[in-house]
Amino acid sequence: MSAGTLFAEQGYAAVPLFDPGLVRAAADDVAEHINRVSRALYLPFDQSCPDAPLNERIGQVYAHERSVANLLRVAVCTDAHRGARLQALANDPRLIAAAEELSERPLAGRIARVRASIACFPEHRHAWHSDVARDDGTGCGKVVVTAWIPLSDAGPESGGLEIAAERQPAPLASEGDEGFEIPEWRLAGLPRVQPACPAGTVLFLDRFTPHRTLPARATRFALVVWMKAA
């Protein structure tokens, strides 16, 4: 099944788009941002575990300074996307062209952020949701398609995404759902898929496709680009 057919029928498509080395190099923006924030703290820099692998560093900090580990998590998810290599991915013409081809409409506005699945912070994994929960045409309601770009190999065992596959005509969340989380009963009967996304693969999601974050054994970072209608 082609990516276009899969997206049209199931609401998602995993597309090999970038050189894996280019994507893994973009993860250095995350590491450098953690260093930048850590150097601004009273805590000695060497206690931020600068020599640890990126996918273990926040977990190692958490073992002795939980509040600092959480601060680093928030800092990465708030501001790391401004790094030059991550910005290059978010604005790459290939990404935009693929999103427009799948969604079959022109796209203009984009919002990019880094998101993480961190083993020591299971409470911050995203539960079932769709990227447009209120189809009101304003704010997030203008999003048409989401590009999820893991900065390392991601899948069922490494903090990937689980998708309730089937293109939806409207959001499954209702006004009464707390925090726009989609309750499990609304997903009854929908097939579940957990796509493998090696570094370089972009997982495109339709605006109403339900998905959630899978547990990670360490830390998985991804660049997420929400694309809005022109």
Side-chain angles (χ1 to χ4, degrees):
M1 186 181 297
S2 70
T5 300
L6 186 64
F7 189 87
E9 295 181 359
Q10 302 298 318
Y12 78 96
V15 181
L17 200 61
F18 297 118
D19 177 82
L22 180 71
V23 173
R24 292 191 179 100
D28 289 343
D29 283 351
V30 176
E32 290 170 9
H33 192 57
I34 292 175
N35 285 342
R36 186 180 302 111
V37 174
S38 297
R39 288 193 173 98
L41 302 177
Y42 285 117
L43 186 78
F45 179 70
D46 60 4
Q47 292 186 33
S48 71
C49 306
D51 296 326
L54 179 60
N55 69 340
E56 299 177 9
R57 185 172 180 180
I58 290 179
Q60 290 190 18
V61 174
Y62 180 91
H64 60 86
E65 291 284 351
R66 294 187 180 186
S67 61
V68 171
N70 189 54
L71 184 150
L72 296 177
R73 178 192 67 81
V74 172
V76 166
C77 293
T78 300
D79 203 42
H81 65 280
R82 301 180 194 275
R85 286 159 289 202
L86 292 171
Q87 282 292 300
L89 289 177
N91 295 302
D92 193 294
R94 293 170 293 178
L95 182 72
I96 299 163
E100 290 185 331
E101 182 177 353
L102 291 173
S103 63
E104 298 182 326
R105 59 189 299 182
L107 302 169
R110 290 184 298 282
I111 299 172
R113 294 289 186 274
V114 172
R115 292 293 178 256
S117 177
I118 306 174
C120 58
F121 289 111
E123 68 275 19
H124 291 291
R125 289 200 305 267
H126 288 142
W128 285 111
H129 69 286
S130 60
D131 290 326
V132 172
R134 300 289 181 267
D135 187 18
D136 57 8
T138 64
C140 292
K142 294 181 180 179
V143 170
V144 173
V145 60
T146 299
W148 187 80
I149 311 168
L151 303 182
S152 57
D153 295 346
E157 302 299 323
S158 51
L161 298 186
E162 183 173 23
I163 297 167
E166 189 174 298
R167 190 86 175 261
Q168 299 298 323
L172 292 181
S174 71
E175 292 293 338
D177 295 332
E178 184 68 25
F180 304 145
E181 179 180 338
I182 300 173
E184 185 71 33
W185 65 268
R186 292 186 182 274
L187 303 172
L190 294 178
R192 313 296 174 86
V193 295
Q194 300 177 358
C197 293
T201 294
V202 178
L203 182 61
F204 291 97
L205 298 168
D206 178 69
R207 62 202 303 243
F208 300 141
T209 298
H211 56 283
R212 67 176 174 179
T213 309
L214 292 168
R217 295 177 179 175
T219 299
R220 180 273 303 145
F221 295 103
L223 176 67
V224 183
V225 185
W226 294 275
M227 302 187 192
K228 298 183 177 182

Short mmCIF file of all heavy atoms in Angstrom, two decimals, residues 52-98:
data_model
loop_
_atom_site.label_atom_id
_atom_site.label_comp_id
_atom_site.label_asym_id
_atom_site.label_seq_id
_atom_site.Cartn_x
_atom_site.Cartn_y
_atom_site.Cartn_z
N ALA A 52 27.30 11.32 30.05
CA ALA A 52 26.34 10.24 29.80
C ALA A 52 25.80 10.33 28.38
O ALA A 52 25.68 11.42 27.82
CB ALA A 52 25.20 10.32 30.80
N PRO A 53 25.44 9.19 27.77
CA PRO A 53 24.76 9.24 26.47
C PRO A 53 23.48 10.06 26.58
O PRO A 53 22.84 10.08 27.63
CB PRO A 53 24.45 7.76 26.18
CG PRO A 53 25.42 6.99 27.03
CD PRO A 53 25.63 7.82 28.26
N LEU A 54 23.11 10.72 25.51
CA LEU A 54 21.95 11.60 25.53
C LEU A 54 20.69 10.86 25.99
O LEU A 54 19.89 11.40 26.76
CB LEU A 54 21.72 12.22 24.15
CG LEU A 54 20.51 13.15 24.01
CD1 LEU A 54 20.62 14.34 24.96
CD2 LEU A 54 20.39 13.63 22.56
N ASN A 55 20.53 9.61 25.56
CA ASN A 55 19.30 8.88 25.91
C ASN A 55 19.30 8.37 27.35
O ASN A 55 18.31 7.80 27.80
CB ASN A 55 19.06 7.72 24.94
CG ASN A 55 20.08 6.62 25.08
OD1 ASN A 55 21.18 6.81 25.61
ND2 ASN A 55 19.74 5.44 24.59
N GLU A 56 20.39 8.59 28.09
CA GLU A 56 20.46 8.19 29.49
C GLU A 56 20.65 9.36 30.45
O GLU A 56 20.47 9.23 31.65
CB GLU A 56 21.61 7.19 29.70
CG GLU A 56 21.48 5.90 28.90
CD GLU A 56 22.68 4.99 29.08
OE1 GLU A 56 23.53 5.30 29.95
OE2 GLU A 56 22.80 4.00 28.34
N ARG A 57 21.00 10.52 29.91
CA ARG A 57 21.46 11.63 30.76
C ARG A 57 20.41 12.11 31.74
O ARG A 57 20.67 12.22 32.94
CB ARG A 57 21.92 12.79 29.88
CG ARG A 57 22.53 13.93 30.68
CD ARG A 57 23.14 14.97 29.77
NE ARG A 57 23.73 16.07 30.52
CZ ARG A 57 24.33 17.11 29.97
NH1 ARG A 57 24.42 17.18 28.64
NH2 ARG A 57 24.83 18.08 30.72
N ILE A 58 19.19 12.40 31.27
CA ILE A 58 18.17 12.90 32.18
C ILE A 58 17.83 11.86 33.23
O ILE A 58 17.60 12.18 34.40
CB ILE A 58 16.92 13.35 31.39
CG1 ILE A 58 17.25 14.62 30.59
CG2 ILE A 58 15.74 13.61 32.33
CD1 ILE A 58 16.11 15.14 29.74
N GLY A 59 17.83 10.59 32.85
CA GLY A 59 17.59 9.52 33.81
C GLY A 59 18.66 9.46 34.88
O GLY A 59 18.36 9.23 36.06
N GLN A 60 19.91 9.68 34.50
CA GLN A 60 20.99 9.68 35.49
C GLN A 60 20.89 10.87 36.42
O GLN A 60 21.15 10.76 37.63
CB GLN A 60 22.35 9.64 34.78
CG GLN A 60 22.64 8.31 34.09
CD GLN A 60 24.07 8.20 33.61
OE1 GLN A 60 24.95 8.93 34.05
NE2 GLN A 60 24.30 7.28 32.68
N VAL A 61 20.53 12.03 35.90
CA VAL A 61 20.33 13.20 36.77
C VAL A 61 19.18 12.94 37.73
O VAL A 61 19.25 13.27 38.92
CB VAL A 61 20.06 14.46 35.92
CG1 VAL A 61 19.71 15.64 36.82
CG2 VAL A 61 21.26 14.79 35.05
N TYR A 62 18.11 12.32 37.22
CA TYR A 62 16.93 12.02 38.03
C TYR A 62 17.29 11.18 39.26
O TYR A 62 16.67 11.34 40.32
CB TYR A 62 15.91 11.28 37.17
CG TYR A 62 14.63 10.89 37.86
CD1 TYR A 62 13.53 11.75 37.84
CD2 TYR A 62 14.49 9.66 38.50
CE1 TYR A 62 12.34 11.39 38.46
CE2 TYR A 62 13.31 9.30 39.12
CZ TYR A 62 12.24 10.17 39.10
OH TYR A 62 11.07 9.81 39.71
N ALA A 63 18.28 10.33 39.14
CA ALA A 63 18.65 9.42 40.23
C ALA A 63 19.11 10.18 41.47
O ALA A 63 18.96 9.67 42.59
CB ALA A 63 19.74 8.46 39.77
N HIS A 64 19.63 11.41 41.30
CA HIS A 64 20.09 12.14 42.49
C HIS A 64 19.52 13.55 42.60
O HIS A 64 19.60 14.18 43.66
CB HIS A 64 21.63 12.20 42.53
CG HIS A 64 22.25 12.88 41.34
ND1 HIS A 64 22.44 14.23 41.28
CD2 HIS A 64 22.73 12.38 40.18
CE1 HIS A 64 23.02 14.55 40.13
NE2 HIS A 64 23.20 13.44 39.44
N GLU A 65 18.93 14.07 41.50
CA GLU A 65 18.35 15.43 41.54
C GLU A 65 17.08 15.43 40.69
O GLU A 65 17.09 15.87 39.53
CB GLU A 65 19.36 16.47 41.02
CG GLU A 65 20.55 16.72 41.92
CD GLU A 65 20.21 17.56 43.13
OE1 GLU A 65 19.08 18.09 43.19
OE2 GLU A 65 21.07 17.69 44.03
N ARG A 66 15.99 14.96 41.26
CA ARG A 66 14.77 14.80 40.47
C ARG A 66 14.25 16.12 39.93
O ARG A 66 13.77 16.20 38.81
CB ARG A 66 13.69 14.11 41.31
CG ARG A 66 14.04 12.68 41.69
CD ARG A 66 12.88 11.99 42.38
NE ARG A 66 13.23 10.62 42.75
CZ ARG A 66 12.38 9.74 43.26
NH1 ARG A 66 11.11 10.11 43.47
NH2 ARG A 66 12.77 8.53 43.56
N SER A 67 14.29 17.17 40.74
CA SER A 67 13.77 18.46 40.29
C SER A 67 14.59 19.02 39.14
O SER A 67 14.04 19.64 38.21
CB SER A 67 13.71 19.45 41.45
OG SER A 67 15.00 19.68 41.98
N VAL A 68 15.90 18.81 39.17
CA VAL A 68 16.75 19.28 38.08
C VAL A 68 16.46 18.48 36.81
O VAL A 68 16.41 19.03 35.71
CB VAL A 68 18.24 19.18 38.47
CG1 VAL A 68 19.14 19.45 37.25
CG2 VAL A 68 18.56 20.16 39.59
N ALA A 69 16.27 17.18 36.96
CA ALA A 69 15.93 16.35 35.80
C ALA A 69 14.64 16.85 35.17
O ALA A 69 14.53 16.93 33.93
CB ALA A 69 15.80 14.89 36.21
N ASN A 70 13.67 17.21 35.98
CA ASN A 70 12.40 17.70 35.44
C ASN A 70 12.59 19.07 34.77
O ASN A 70 11.99 19.34 33.72
CB ASN A 70 11.35 17.81 36.53
CG ASN A 70 9.98 18.11 35.98
OD1 ASN A 70 9.48 17.42 35.09
ND2 ASN A 70 9.35 19.17 36.47
N LEU A 71 13.43 19.91 35.34
CA LEU A 71 13.71 21.20 34.73
C LEU A 71 14.33 21.01 33.36
O LEU A 71 13.98 21.70 32.40
CB LEU A 71 14.65 22.00 35.64
CG LEU A 71 14.99 23.43 35.21
CD1 LEU A 71 15.25 24.30 36.42
CD2 LEU A 71 16.20 23.47 34.28
N LEU A 72 15.27 20.07 33.24
CA LEU A 72 15.91 19.81 31.94
C LEU A 72 14.89 19.28 30.94
O LEU A 72 14.91 19.64 29.76
CB LEU A 72 17.06 18.83 32.12
CG LEU A 72 18.23 19.33 32.97
CD1 LEU A 72 19.28 18.24 33.13
CD2 LEU A 72 18.87 20.58 32.35
N ARG A 73 13.98 18.42 31.41
CA ARG A 73 12.91 17.91 30.53
C ARG A 73 12.07 19.04 29.98
O ARG A 73 11.81 19.12 28.77
CB ARG A 73 12.03 16.93 31.31
CG ARG A 73 10.85 16.37 30.50
CD ARG A 73 9.86 15.66 31.41
NE ARG A 73 9.18 16.56 32.33
CZ ARG A 73 8.15 17.32 32.00
NH1 ARG A 73 7.65 17.30 30.76
NH2 ARG A 73 7.58 18.11 32.90
N VAL A 74 11.66 19.94 30.87
CA VAL A 74 10.81 21.06 30.45
C VAL A 74 11.58 21.99 29.51
O VAL A 74 11.04 22.47 28.50
CB VAL A 74 10.29 21.83 31.68
CG1 VAL A 74 9.57 23.10 31.25
CG2 VAL A 74 9.36 20.94 32.49
N ALA A 75 12.85 22.25 29.82
CA ALA A 75 13.65 23.14 28.98
C ALA A 75 13.79 22.60 27.56
O ALA A 75 13.67 23.35 26.58
CB ALA A 75 15.03 23.34 29.61
N VAL A 76 14.03 21.30 27.45
CA VAL A 76 14.17 20.69 26.13
C VAL A 76 12.87 20.81 25.35
O VAL A 76 12.87 21.16 24.17
CB VAL A 76 14.60 19.22 26.27
CG1 VAL A 76 14.42 18.48 24.95
CG2 VAL A 76 16.05 19.13 26.72
N CYS A 77 11.75 20.52 26.01
CA CYS A 77 10.46 20.52 25.32
C CYS A 77 9.95 21.93 25.05
O CYS A 77 9.00 22.11 24.27
CB CYS A 77 9.43 19.74 26.14
SG CYS A 77 9.79 17.97 26.24
N THR A 78 10.57 22.93 25.67
CA THR A 78 10.14 24.32 25.49
C THR A 78 10.96 25.05 24.43
O THR A 78 10.42 25.83 23.64
CB THR A 78 10.26 25.08 26.82
OG1 THR A 78 9.44 24.45 27.79
CG2 THR A 78 9.83 26.53 26.67
N ASP A 79 12.28 24.78 24.38
CA ASP A 79 13.14 25.69 23.61
C ASP A 79 14.18 25.02 22.72
O ASP A 79 14.80 25.68 21.90
CB ASP A 79 13.85 26.63 24.59
CG ASP A 79 14.31 27.92 23.95
OD1 ASP A 79 13.54 28.50 23.16
OD2 ASP A 79 15.45 28.35 24.22
N ALA A 80 14.39 23.71 22.85
CA ALA A 80 15.46 23.06 22.08
C ALA A 80 15.20 23.08 20.59
O ALA A 80 16.14 22.99 19.78
CB ALA A 80 15.66 21.62 22.56
N HIS A 81 13.93 23.20 20.18
CA HIS A 81 13.60 23.18 18.75
C HIS A 81 14.22 24.35 17.99
O HIS A 81 14.25 24.33 16.76
CB HIS A 81 12.08 23.23 18.57
CG HIS A 81 11.45 24.49 19.05
ND1 HIS A 81 11.18 24.72 20.38
CD2 HIS A 81 11.06 25.62 18.39
CE1 HIS A 81 10.65 25.93 20.52
NE2 HIS A 81 10.56 26.48 19.33
N ARG A 82 14.71 25.37 18.70
CA ARG A 82 15.30 26.52 18.04
C ARG A 82 16.71 26.24 17.53
O ARG A 82 17.31 27.09 16.84
CB ARG A 82 15.32 27.73 18.98
CG ARG A 82 13.94 28.14 19.47
CD ARG A 82 14.02 29.34 20.41
NE ARG A 82 12.77 29.53 21.12
CZ ARG A 82 11.73 30.21 20.64
NH1 ARG A 82 11.80 30.74 19.44
NH2 ARG A 82 10.62 30.35 21.36
N GLY A 83 17.27 25.09 17.86
CA GLY A 83 18.60 24.74 17.38
C GLY A 83 18.65 24.71 15.86
O GLY A 83 17.68 24.35 15.19
N ALA A 84 19.80 25.08 15.31
CA ALA A 84 19.93 25.25 13.86
C ALA A 84 19.64 23.97 13.09
O ALA A 84 18.99 23.98 12.04
CB ALA A 84 21.33 25.77 13.52
N ARG A 85 20.12 22.83 13.59
CA ARG A 85 19.92 21.57 12.87
C ARG A 85 18.47 21.12 12.94
O ARG A 85 17.92 20.58 11.96
CB ARG A 85 20.86 20.50 13.42
CG ARG A 85 22.30 20.70 13.01
CD ARG A 85 23.30 19.99 13.90
NE ARG A 85 23.37 20.64 15.21
CZ ARG A 85 24.42 20.51 16.04
NH1 ARG A 85 25.44 19.76 15.70
NH2 ARG A 85 24.42 21.13 17.21
N LEU A 86 17.82 21.33 14.07
CA LEU A 86 16.41 20.99 14.18
C LEU A 86 15.55 21.91 13.33
O LEU A 86 14.58 21.47 12.70
CB LEU A 86 15.97 21.05 15.65
CG LEU A 86 16.58 19.96 16.55
CD1 LEU A 86 16.27 20.24 18.01
CD2 LEU A 86 16.07 18.58 16.15
N GLN A 87 15.91 23.19 13.28
CA GLN A 87 15.18 24.12 12.43
C GLN A 87 15.32 23.74 10.95
O GLN A 87 14.37 23.87 10.17
CB GLN A 87 15.68 25.54 12.65
CG GLN A 87 15.14 26.19 13.91
CD GLN A 87 13.65 26.47 13.82
OE1 GLN A 87 13.19 27.21 12.95
NE2 GLN A 87 12.88 25.87 14.71
N ALA A 88 16.50 23.26 10.58
CA ALA A 88 16.70 22.84 9.19
C ALA A 88 15.79 21.68 8.82
O ALA A 88 15.25 21.63 7.71
CB ALA A 88 18.17 22.46 8.97
N LEU A 89 15.57 20.75 9.76
CA LEU A 89 14.64 19.65 9.50
C LEU A 89 13.21 20.17 9.40
O LEU A 89 12.46 19.79 8.50
CB LEU A 89 14.74 18.61 10.63
CG LEU A 89 16.00 17.75 10.70
CD1 LEU A 89 15.92 16.83 11.92
CD2 LEU A 89 16.18 16.93 9.43
N ALA A 90 12.82 21.02 10.33
CA ALA A 90 11.44 21.52 10.37
C ALA A 90 11.07 22.30 9.12
O ALA A 90 9.90 22.31 8.72
CB ALA A 90 11.23 22.38 11.62
N ASN A 91 12.06 22.95 8.52
CA ASN A 91 11.80 23.81 7.36
C ASN A 91 12.27 23.20 6.06
O ASN A 91 12.27 23.87 5.02
CB ASN A 91 12.47 25.17 7.57
CG ASN A 91 11.88 25.95 8.74
OD1 ASN A 91 10.69 26.22 8.77
ND2 ASN A 91 12.71 26.30 9.71
N ASP A 92 12.65 21.93 6.09
CA ASP A 92 13.14 21.27 4.89
C ASP A 92 12.02 21.18 3.84
O ASP A 92 10.92 20.72 4.15
CB ASP A 92 13.64 19.87 5.24
CG ASP A 92 14.45 19.25 4.11
OD1 ASP A 92 13.86 18.98 3.04
OD2 ASP A 92 15.65 19.01 4.30
N PRO A 93 12.27 21.61 2.61
CA PRO A 93 11.23 21.56 1.58
C PRO A 93 10.68 20.15 1.34
O PRO A 93 9.51 20.01 0.97
CB PRO A 93 11.96 22.09 0.34
CG PRO A 93 13.07 22.94 0.87
CD PRO A 93 13.50 22.27 2.13
N ARG A 94 11.50 19.12 1.56
CA ARG A 94 11.03 17.75 1.36
C ARG A 94 9.94 17.40 2.37
O ARG A 94 8.99 16.69 2.04
CB ARG A 94 12.19 16.77 1.47
CG ARG A 94 13.22 16.88 0.36
CD ARG A 94 14.45 16.06 0.66
NE ARG A 94 15.20 16.60 1.79
CZ ARG A 94 16.31 16.06 2.29
NH1 ARG A 94 16.78 14.94 1.77
NH2 ARG A 94 16.94 16.62 3.31
N LEU A 95 10.08 17.88 3.59
CA LEU A 95 9.09 17.62 4.62
C LEU A 95 7.76 18.28 4.26
O LEU A 95 6.70 17.66 4.33
CB LEU A 95 9.58 18.14 5.97
CG LEU A 95 8.67 17.90 7.17
CD1 LEU A 95 8.68 16.43 7.56
CD2 LEU A 95 9.10 18.75 8.35
N ILE A 96 7.85 19.53 3.85
CA ILE A 96 6.64 20.28 3.51
C ILE A 96 5.95 19.68 2.29
O ILE A 96 4.73 19.50 2.26
CB ILE A 96 7.00 21.75 3.29
CG1 ILE A 96 7.61 22.34 4.58
CG2 ILE A 96 5.77 22.56 2.87
CD1 ILE A 96 8.38 23.62 4.38
N ALA A 97 6.75 19.31 1.28
CA ALA A 97 6.18 18.73 0.06
C ALA A 97 5.49 17.41 0.35
O ALA A 97 4.40 17.13 -0.17
CB ALA A 97 7.28 18.54 -0.99
N ALA A 98 6.11 16.57 1.19
CA ALA A 98 5.50 15.28 1.53
C ALA A 98 4.20 15.48 2.29
O ALA A 98 3.21 14.78 2.05
CB ALA A 98 6.48 14.44 2.35
#
